């Protein structure tokens, strides 16, 4: 069998069309940048930027945008072998508006249905899922069939043996490091914007197979009915995970492990222009730190720094930082001004940032920010793609 992947992610993919005109309503925007999008896809990109071998399980339309996403994945060094086309549905597109420092409305075009919700259990390479050192899935994958069944099948493959008996030695047998559930609450993707029993039951089912849960306060409430960070972390542990990571907005991030260790890390100062999705960089860095075997505090500091860097850049996937950039931000205790205001990773002018994915940032223009912070304007509609 080929060498296992460091990180395999599963879920959303799409094209982000983000305005190059900062502070301009979408109706008046004339110039857009086109980027690879989708939170779990960008987590794979972020981990690849940090030197990890990654792949993504998802689906696109059979259209030019789907071709574009394949090319972008290859350019970023993410294996696209499990990215397959769906004839019936177009590749999703997402637009955003950029009003720094904390207003980033999002507009999803995923109708009549997104191809990434058409992942079938029979299509999964469960041997590769089982062998991956980290498997990363999201709450959106539980919102509709057949994606829900496929996501749960992948989770069961990580936690049970072929005879369907619970495994107590998964890591020893397969080299697995973590099974991560990104709580990723997007009510508009659930029938009726469900905020009640259906979503909570699905989340509980997935948590029983995960070893790590990551989410902001709203997402933790959906999963646990708790909003106080420590209570939410304890509830996530009680639901079955070993590590709970709770993003607390301007207060930073809280991590609590079943062994009793905790870390509460403040966000890193950065000039925020578009706070959408620093959480994807945070997620890729979290995977990197887990794989490296770092202690909780170091992982959280590193992940916060990665998120803050992406929050200072225009591009999304192409803004994911390299290790030297994260180390520099950590050494200086802030995202350096030349990184926040200079060229982004794709060469676009970074008057500000489009940080892809799951976690917004909120601060004054020069205040503390990073993956631990949330934008109230961005969270109700979720993150790009």
């Amino acid at each position: 069998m080929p060498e296992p992947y460091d990180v395999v992610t599963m879920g959303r993919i799409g094209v982000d069309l983000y305005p190059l005109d900062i502070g301009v309503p979408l109706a008046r925007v004339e110039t857009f940048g086109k980027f690879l999008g989708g939170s779990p896809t960008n987590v794979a990109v972020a981990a690849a930027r940090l030197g990890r071998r990654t792949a993504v399980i998802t689906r696109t339309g059979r259209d030019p945008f789907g071709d574009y996403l394949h090319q972008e994945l290859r350019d970023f060094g993410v294996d696209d072998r499990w990215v397959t086309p769906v004839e019936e549905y177009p590749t999703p597109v997402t637009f955003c508006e950029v009003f720094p420092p904390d207003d980033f409305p999002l507009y999803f075009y995923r109708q009549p249905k997104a191809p990434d919700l058409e992942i079938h259990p029979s299509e999964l390479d469960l041997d590769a899922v089982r062998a991956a050192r980290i498997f990363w899935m999201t709450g959106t994958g539980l919102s509709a069939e057949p994606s829900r069944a496929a996501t749960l099948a992948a989770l069961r493959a990580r936690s049970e043996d072929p005879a369907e008996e619970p495994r107590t030695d998964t890591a020893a047998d397969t080299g697995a490091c973590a099974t991560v559930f990104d709580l990723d609450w997007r009510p508009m993707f659930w029938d009726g914007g469900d905020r009640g029993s259906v979503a909570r039951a699905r989340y509980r089912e997935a948590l029983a197979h995960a070893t790590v849960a990551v989410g902001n306060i709203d997402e933790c409430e959906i999963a646990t009915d708790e909003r106080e960070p420590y209570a939410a972390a304890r509830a996530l542990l009680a639901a079955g995970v070993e590590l709970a990571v709770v993003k607390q907005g301007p207060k930073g991030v809280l991590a609590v492990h079943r062994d009793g260790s905790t870390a509460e890390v403040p966000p890193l100062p950065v000039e925020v222009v578009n706070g959408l999705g620093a959480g994807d960089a945070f997620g890729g860095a979290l995977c990197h730190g887990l794989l490296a075997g770092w202690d909780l505090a170091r992982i959280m500091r590193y992940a916060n720094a990665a998120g803050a860097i992406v929050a200072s850049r225009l591009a999304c996937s192409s803004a994911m930082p390299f290790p030297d950039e994260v180390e520099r931000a950590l050494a200086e205790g802030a995202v350096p001004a030349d990184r926040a205001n200079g060229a982004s990773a794709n060469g676009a002018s970074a008057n500000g940032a489009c940080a892809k994915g799951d976690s917004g940032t909120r601060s004054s223009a020069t205040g503390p920010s990073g993956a631990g912070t949330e934008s109230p304007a961005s969270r109700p509609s979720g993150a790009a793609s």
Side-chain angles (χ1 to χ4, degrees), residues 41-110:
T41 302
N42 278 343
V43 169
V45 171
R49 276 279 168 92
L50 297 173
R52 300 300 177 175
R53 183 168 180 258
T54 70
V56 62
I57 301 169
T58 189
R59 306 197 73 184
T60 70
R62 191 182 292 277
D63 52 32
F65 276 152
D67 296 339
Y68 163 76
L69 294 175
H70 275 279
Q71 187 58 56
E72 287 294 283
L73 287 168
R74 294 170 191 148
D75 288 348
F76 286 126
V78 177
D79 196 323
D80 66 342
R81 70 181 62 195
W82 297 307
V83 181
T84 58
V86 176
E87 296 286 350
E88 302 94 316
Y89 304 124
T91 299
V93 175
T94 301
F95 291 86
C96 80
E97 295 174 303
V98 181
F99 297 104
D102 61 0
D103 185 15
F104 315 108
L106 279 152
Y107 305 88
F108 296 89
Y109 293 83
R110 291 171 58 87

Side-chain angles (χ1 to χ4, degrees), residues 367-379:
S369 188
T373 62
E374 304 293 341
S375 165
S378 66
R379 291 311 305 170

